[in-house]
């Protein structure tokens, strides 16, 4: 059974890069009739927030990237959360300490290591006590990346590293291994910024005598200056594009094109599940082109069944708090459908559709003073 996961850290908005990672994991799982699970990696308690978690969950649902497993939350699948699995991690930390593959280390106020021990250093309990993984610095660590080929790391360049923080919470490089193993994950598709972490993760797999999953590291999404796409380049979150009135199928279509070689340019990603394969994923950084996304959105806007467009448009008006115009549109559906089918020929996004069609629905525009003087007042006087 093929099993993939999307494992975001809830420390900010859902970035388009994250959505693309989720999309590729989702496509690979669907293609193989496998499972796709969502795991919230919230062990960095200083940076993780509920707000961000909710935004990520809502964005994934909006994109149509549903997960098919998880704890039952009122008849729906909830995500797995690492913060709810601390006891599980504890067990494996203790196991590694017992096997002398990890040890306690005490740090003083200046962050200098002052003591190490294989048993809990009771006498230092007022200091900062962590658990560190003992690195075997001989030889190399290697793995076959399904996109990048063989990747090797020198072990002598790595030092023992912390796996349990002084606040009692384990770090990402540790929890990710425990969870991917216990959740029977077979393939990990993630951004190439995680390649260097893979060395530490493989060492932990080996220490626990577990077989690592297959890894696929995808190139990052870049801005026009070839630096990783960030707020400096413009909006980057799914919520931003949703507010801008980009259709979800257009966004998914565009994200799929970022690194996936596929013949067609305009498609619904749900129809392309069978064509997805890692060999068709590019190994080069890809540049995010806002104009192309808008152009693709225009194509989808015009292709869409008009009733569906009506529903999506009214939903978007609600989402962006345009309640007044939404009510006007709902008043006379036949009229509104006619207006939308004419106006969509001229625009690319739902936001542009709103601006373009506004005066067909709302009659509270102001007349210019000159116009009133010249036409309206005259007529008034004549009658
Ligand atoms: N929590 C990590 C992140 O958001 C997940 C990386 C991974 O997929 O292993 O970057």
């Amino acid at each position: 059974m093929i099993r993939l996961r999307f494992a975001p850290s809830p420390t900010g908005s859902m970035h388009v890069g994250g959505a693309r990672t989720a999309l590729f994991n989702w496509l690979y799982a669907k293609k193989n009739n496998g499972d796709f699970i969502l795991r919230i990696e919230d062990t960095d308690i200083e940076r993780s927030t509920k707000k961000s978690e909710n935004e990520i969950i809502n964005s994934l649902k909006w994109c149509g990237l549903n997960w098919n497993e998880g704890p039952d939350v009122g008849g729906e699948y909830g995500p797995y959360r690492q913060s709810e699995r601390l006891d599980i991690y504890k067990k494996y930390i203790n196991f590694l300490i017992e096997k002398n593959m990890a040890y306690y280390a005490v740090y003083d106020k200046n962050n200098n290591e002052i003591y190490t021990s294989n048993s809990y250093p009771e006498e230092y309990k007022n200091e900062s006590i962590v658990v560190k993984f003992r690195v075997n610095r001989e030889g190399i660590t290697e793995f076959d990346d399904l996109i990048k080929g063989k990747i090797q790391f020198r072990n002598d360049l790595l030092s023992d590293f912390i796996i349990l923080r002084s606040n009692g919470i384990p770090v990402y490089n540790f929890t990710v291994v425990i969870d991917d193993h216990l959740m029977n994950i077979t393939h990990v598709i993630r951004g190439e910024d995680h390649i260097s972490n893979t060395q530490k993760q493989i060492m932990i797999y080996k220490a626990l005598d577990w077989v690592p999953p297959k890894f696929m590291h995808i190139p990052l999404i870049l801005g026009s200056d070839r630096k990783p796409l960030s707020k400096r380049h413009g909006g980057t979150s799914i919520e931003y594009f949703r507010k801008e009135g980009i259709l979800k199928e257009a966004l998914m279509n565009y994200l799929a094109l970022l690194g996936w070689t596929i013949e067609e340019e305009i498609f619904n990603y749900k129809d392309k599940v069978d064509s997805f394969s890692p060999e068709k994923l590019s190994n080069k950084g890809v540049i995010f082109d806002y104009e192309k996304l808008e152009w693709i959105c225009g194509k989808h806007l015009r292709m869409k069944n008009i009733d569906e467009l009506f529903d999506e448009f009214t939903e978007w008006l609600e989402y962006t708090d345009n309640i007044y115009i939404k009510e006007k549109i709902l008043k006379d559906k036949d009229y509104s459908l006619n207006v939308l089918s004419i106006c969509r020929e001229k625009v690319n996004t739902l936001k542009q559709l709103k601006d373009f069609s506004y005066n067909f629905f709302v009659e509270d525009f102001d007349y210019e003073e000159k116009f009133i003087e010249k036409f309206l007042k005259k007529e008034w006087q004549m009658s």
Side-chain angles (χ1 to χ4, degrees):
M1 180 64 149
I2 299 273
R3 284 168 59 84
L4 290 99
R5 53 39 168 209
F6 178 53
S9 302
T11 54
S13 294
M14 170 93 154
H15 190 276
V16 279
R20 185 187 57 153
T21 300
L23 171 65
F24 288 164
N25 277 285
W26 183 92
L27 283 164
Y28 198 70
K30 293 282 153 197
K31 179 177 176 174
N32 293 288
N33 289 319
D35 292 324
F36 173 63
I37 68 176
L38 173 63
R39 185 173 72 228
I40 303 290
E41 303 208 318
D42 55 355
T43 57
D44 184 346
I45 47 174
E46 267 122 55
R47 293 175 59 226
S48 300
T49 65
K50 258 300 178 236
K51 179 171 177 278
S52 159
E53 181 187 311
N54 290 336
E55 188 180 324
I56 291 169
I57 290 177
N58 287 337
S59 296
L60 276 177
K61 285 187 181 164
W62 180 71
C63 294
L65 301 174
N66 294 329
W67 52 102
N68 64 315
E69 189 188 296
D72 186 344
V73 282
E76 249 187 63
Y77 290 125
Y80 292 102
R81 279 189 200 88
Q82 291 194 323
S83 57
E84 292 165 2
R85 298 169 58 79
L86 298 179
D87 288 348
I88 301 175
Y89 309 130
K90 225 9 184 296
K91 206 176 100 192
Y92 292 98
I93 300 252
N94 288 340
F95 175 81
L96 290 178
I97 296 172
E98 268 166 37
K99 296 276 174 207
N100 196 27
M101 289 188 278
Y103 58 91
Y104 294 97
V106 180
Y107 283 83
D108 68 9
K109 307 236 157 12
N110 300 322
N111 219 14
N112 293 319
E113 191 176 286
I114 51 171
Y115 183 76
T116 62
S117 160
N118 274 10
S119 55
Y120 186 78
E122 200 54 53
E123 62 277 29
Y124 287 103
K125 69 173 186 296
N126 295 328
E127 308 288 330
S128 171
I129 304 174
V130 301
V131 174
K132 287 173 91 174
F133 182 81
R134 205 184 289 285
V135 170
N136 176 354
R137 302 181 70 190
E138 278 163 26
I140 53 162
T141 298
E142 64 177 18
F143 68 98
D144 277 312
D145 190 283
L146 292 179
I147 296 175
K148 302 204 172 274
K150 193 187 277 294
I151 296 186
Q152 298 185 318
F153 305 95
R154 279 169 55 182
N155 292 341
D156 61 338
L157 298 179
L158 198 65
S159 312
D160 295 355
F161 56 90
I162 294 176
I163 50 177
L164 187 72
R165 299 180 180 96
S166 58
N167 62 5
I169 301 191
V171 303
Y172 156 71
N173 275 320
F174 185 76
T175 54
V176 73
V177 170
I178 305 302
D179 283 345
D180 282 344
H181 176 77
L182 296 181
M183 295 179 183
N184 294 316
I185 298 302
T186 55
H187 296 73
V188 167
I189 306 180
R190 60 185 176 193
E192 67 183 12
D193 47 335
H194 284 290
I195 289 181
S196 60
N197 285 328
T198 314
Q199 179 182 22
K200 291 179 181 166
Q201 293 170 16
I202 290 178
M203 285 183 169
I204 298 171
Y205 278 105
K206 279 196 186 144
L208 292 166
D209 215 2
W210 291 344
V211 180
K214 295 204 162 57
F215 294 103
M216 285 184 232
H217 288 95
I218 50 177
L220 298 185
I221 299 181
L222 309 174
S224 46
D225 55 0
R226 303 201 67 85
K227 301 228 168 79
L229 184 74
S230 74
K231 285 186 190 133
R232 281 182 301 118
H233 300 102
T236 56
S237 70
I238 296 301
E239 204 156 89
Y240 165 78
F241 290 105
R242 187 174 174 188
K243 284 199 179 123
E244 282 299 297
I246 298 289
L247 295 170
K248 57 188 110 176
E249 57 270 43
L251 188 57
M252 290 296 104
N253 182 164
Y254 183 59
L255 291 182
L257 289 175
L258 287 179
W260 178 17
T261 319
I262 180 161
E263 266 104 69
E264 290 144 86
E265 195 154 46
I266 306 296
F267 52 83
N268 188 315
Y269 69 101
K270 294 198 170 159
D271 300 332
K272 290 286 168 254
V273 167
D274 290 335
S275 335
F276 186 78
S277 84
E279 297 87 62
K280 291 190 195 148
L281 290 184
S282 145
N283 189 7
K284 290 198 212 92
V286 275
I287 292 180
F288 195 89
D289 181 344
Y290 287 83
E291 277 170 29
K292 176 138 188 209
L293 169 61
E294 192 184 308
W295 177 81
I296 288 181
C297 188
K299 296 272 179 198
H300 280 277
L301 200 81
R302 288 182 276 286
M303 247 160 58
K304 226 176 160 54
N305 168 297
I306 193 72
D307 281 293
E308 276 174 30
L309 181 64
F310 177 88
D311 291 343
E312 203 155 333
F313 187 45
T314 47
E315 186 191 298
W316 179 82
L317 290 169
E318 169 95 35
Y319 179 70
T320 49
D321 265 339
N322 284 293
I323 308 300
Y324 183 60
I325 170 163
K326 181 189 155 197
E327 277 163 10
K328 296 277 181 194
I329 288 175
L330 288 176
K331 253 190 192 156
D332 183 348
K333 189 167 174 185
D334 285 340
Y335 170 77
S336 300
L337 287 177
N338 277 332
V339 171
L340 293 185
S341 55
I342 296 165
C343 293
R344 73 164 159 184
E345 296 302 321
K346 299 285 177 203
V347 299
N348 286 328
T349 68
L350 295 174
K351 192 178 190 176
Q352 293 167 6
L353 186 61
K354 183 204 81 182
D355 293 340
F356 199 81
S357 64
Y358 190 81
N359 288 338
F360 288 98
F361 297 119
V362 181
E363 289 172 4
D364 62 355
F365 37 81
D366 292 329
Y367 294 101
E368 274 191 25
E369 202 53 46
K370 267 195 215 151
F371 179 86
I372 297 176
E373 287 298 326
K374 195 164 170 195
F375 298 104
L376 299 186
K377 282 205 177 155
K378 249 190 217 158
E379 263 181 48
W380 177 252
Q381 282 156 8
M382 269 157 54
S383 58

